[in-house]
Amino acid sequence: AENVAPQVVKNGDITTTTSTASVPITVIEEHSGWKTTTCQYKLTTASTWLTNNTTGTATKCDFSQLQAGKEYDYKITVKDKVNILSTSATTNKTVTGTFTPLAMCTPTITIANETSWKPSKVVTFTGSANGAHIEYKVVNNGTTKVDWTEIANNGTYTIDYTSTSAKPTEIYARCTDGITTKDATTKTQTMVDVTAPTSVAYVAKY
């Protein structure tokens, strides 16, 4: 009967987004064959290993629902078709290490002609997403014009209503991946005038 434990080794670079990580592996099992892969992870500051939100195959371990920019420990074990674990070997034949999901993006708000009076202004939202997306919100004089809405990188919004120091427009942008949301960036616009000038007739007297 077989009593040789299978072995698993890391095979390539770990890939990450802000909320996921994927560790490529190779399983070495020359007898009964590979059966299952178990993927475990935890924050390096934690003590309890987790297996939820993971998927293990013979070629990789995928981790999801991670916190952006936080360091995690991971441990990968395999089992062969006669149910011998890679941890059964005298020499540890598991894969361990750390990974860090990408940091959350920082969006930028750019307002065309920001410091000049105009009848309308175009607002552009930019920022590297890294697996997350940008959302924006617009409030004019206390009234929400647009609640948190996803927008593409380099997406635009037009302020075409009165925005003054008495009736300011607040523009917010944030990054989120559904797990981690970064604090919003904010800008205020107070120089949009959509009121047409009033003409006054002048009658000359001779």
Side-chain angles (χ1 to χ4, degrees):
E2 179 191 349
N3 59 7
V4 178
Q7 183 177 357
V8 56
V9 295
K10 181 172 170 288
N11 182 26
D13 295 329
I14 298 173
T15 58
T16 59
T17 68
T18 56
S19 63
T20 66
S22 183
V23 182
I25 61 172
T26 295
V27 176
I28 301 172
E29 168 49 53
E30 299 175 352
H31 300 279
S32 63
W34 170 85
K35 182 179 180 181
T36 59
T37 297
T38 300
C39 312
Q40 300 180 71
Y41 69 102
K42 66 179 182 66
L43 286 167
T44 55
T45 55
S47 57
T48 302
W49 289 94
L50 306 172
T51 57
N52 58 311
N53 302 311
T54 67
T55 302
T57 70
T59 59
K60 63 179 180 175
C61 263
D62 290 333
F63 305 83
S64 62
Q65 304 291 305
L66 305 173
Q67 298 180 53
K70 300 287 188 179
E71 186 178 63
Y72 288 83
D73 298 322
Y74 70 87
K75 180 166 54 179
I76 302 171
T77 57
V78 295
K79 181 185 292 186
D80 64 20
K81 289 182 178 178
V82 294
N83 294 322
I84 299 178
L85 285 167
S86 53
T87 51
S88 299
T90 302
T91 302
N92 190 354
K93 295 184 178 181
T94 63
V95 170
T96 60
T98 62
F99 56 70
T100 303
L102 296 175
M104 187 59 63
C105 59
T106 300
T108 300
I109 303 170
T110 304
I111 304 174
N113 302 300
E114 184 172 1
T115 59
S116 302
W117 282 100
K118 297 290 180 180
S120 66
K121 294 188 179 182
V122 175
V123 182
T124 302
F125 302 90
T126 58
S128 176
N130 291 342
H133 61 264
I134 300 171
E135 294 180 340
Y136 77 105
K137 178 179 180 178
V138 181
V139 178
N140 174 248
N141 195 33
T143 300
T144 300
K145 290 282 191 178
V146 180
D147 209 346
W148 289 113
T149 300
E150 182 175 348
I151 192 167
N153 198 35
N154 294 310
T156 61
Y157 172 82
T158 301
I159 303 173
D160 54 4
Y161 42 83
T162 298
S163 300
T164 64
S165 56
K167 297 180 177 180
T169 293
E170 303 284 347
I171 305 143
Y172 306 86
R174 68 186 184 188
C175 278
T176 182
D177 59 12
I179 306 300
T180 305
T181 299
K182 191 167 186 176
D183 291 343
T185 301
T186 308
K187 274 202 172 184
T188 302
Q189 179 51 224
T190 60
M191 301 183 76
V192 178
D193 185 2
V194 299
T195 304
T198 303
S199 60
V200 178
Y202 176 76
V203 180
K205 294 183 179 179
Y206 297 94

